[in-house]
Amino acid sequence: MRFIRWLVVIFLLLPISALAFFKPVRVLVPEAFGVHCNEQKLCIDDFSQLAAAESLLNDSKSYLAKQWGLSIGEPKIIFCSTEQCRSAFGLANKAGFTLGSFAIVIAPRAWQPHYVAHELIHHWQADHFGSLSLLSGEHWLIEGMAYALSNDPRIALHEPFESYRQRFNNWYRLHADIPLKESLAGVL
């Protein structure tokens, strides 16, 4: 009987502990951490910025569909416009992050099309190849694809990301005649 009580306590404390200590999991219930979400699962901490966030999201999705044939769908995406929001979701120094196919968080400094497209690419990867592929897959492929296809304007990235982007570009040149999803299926 005592064992069962301990299991119940652990079972109840686990989600609370995850929300308290592993901030990225907060994307599962973003409204509890100071953001408001609309029907399209677009969440924002400052609702006066909603039109700008919608425009960034739609433009990035449109670019990825037209340029690369990536159909993104309707991911939950949290746009942080304040440092308080950035901190609440555990972004630290990151411009953004994607938690598998669950949600995307964009930091205040990342309100630019290439950053949003980068995270949408990670969401697409998780949707098509599984969330675990983002953790266990080849970093050069996962990050290289996101940097290369997002139209990132930076001439050179910090290493190892520039090497990842170059390696992906070289790989993609060899597979350009095959639809992207099919060419990735054997690698991711």
Side-chain angles (χ1 to χ4, degrees):
M1 198 63 161
R2 184 186 246 195
F3 179 71
I4 292 173
R5 276 191 245 168
W6 277 107
L7 281 177
V8 169
V9 168
I10 290 170
F11 183 73
L12 292 174
L13 290 178
L14 191 60
I16 295 167
S17 298
L19 288 171
F21 299 112
F22 185 63
K23 291 180 179 182
V25 81
R26 293 177 178 181
V27 300
L28 300 175
V29 286
E31 295 91 343
F33 298 96
V35 299
H36 306 282
C37 302
N38 67 13
E39 303 81 39
Q40 289 78 35
K41 300 188 275 185
L42 191 148
C43 306
I44 193 161
D45 58 336
D46 178 1
F47 227 63
S48 70
Q49 299 286 332
L50 181 63
E54 285 176 331
S55 178
L56 262 173
L57 177 60
N58 292 335
D59 290 350
S60 298
K61 287 170 63 174
S62 177
Y63 166 77
L64 292 172
K66 287 178 187 170
Q67 186 68 30
W68 305 108
L70 303 182
S71 177
I72 304 297
E74 296 293 329
K76 181 187 295 182
I77 185 165
I78 301 161
F79 281 89
C80 288
S81 64
T82 64
E83 290 302 307
Q84 180 182 358
C85 176
R86 180 196 58 76
S87 178
F89 290 97
L91 280 163
N93 294 326
K94 295 179 184 175
F97 73 82
T98 301
L99 187 63
S101 58
F102 295 109
I104 298 167
V105 182
I106 303 295
R109 71 180 178 96
W111 285 50
Q112 296 177 44
H114 67 280
Y115 284 122
V116 175
H118 181 110
E119 297 306 328
L120 289 171
I121 290 166
H122 287 318
H123 181 79
W124 181 88
Q125 291 167 334
D127 271 354
H128 289 85
F129 302 104
S131 295
L132 288 178
S133 69
L134 297 181
L135 296 172
S136 62
E138 296 285 342
H139 293 293
W140 71 266
L141 184 62
I142 294 163
E143 287 299 330
M145 177 182 173
Y147 281 109
L149 303 187
S150 66
N151 201 25
D152 193 309
R154 292 174 286 186
I155 294 169
L157 302 166
H158 293 288
E159 286 300 338
F161 302 109
E162 182 60 31
S163 297
Y164 293 167
R165 178 166 62 178
Q166 290 304 318
R167 186 169 176 191
F168 175 81
N169 284 333
N170 293 337
W171 175 87
Y172 186 68
R173 272 190 222 91
L174 298 174
H175 298 87
D177 57 330
I178 304 169
L180 186 59
K181 185 178 175 184
E182 290 176 33
S183 62
L184 290 168
V187 185
L188 275 177

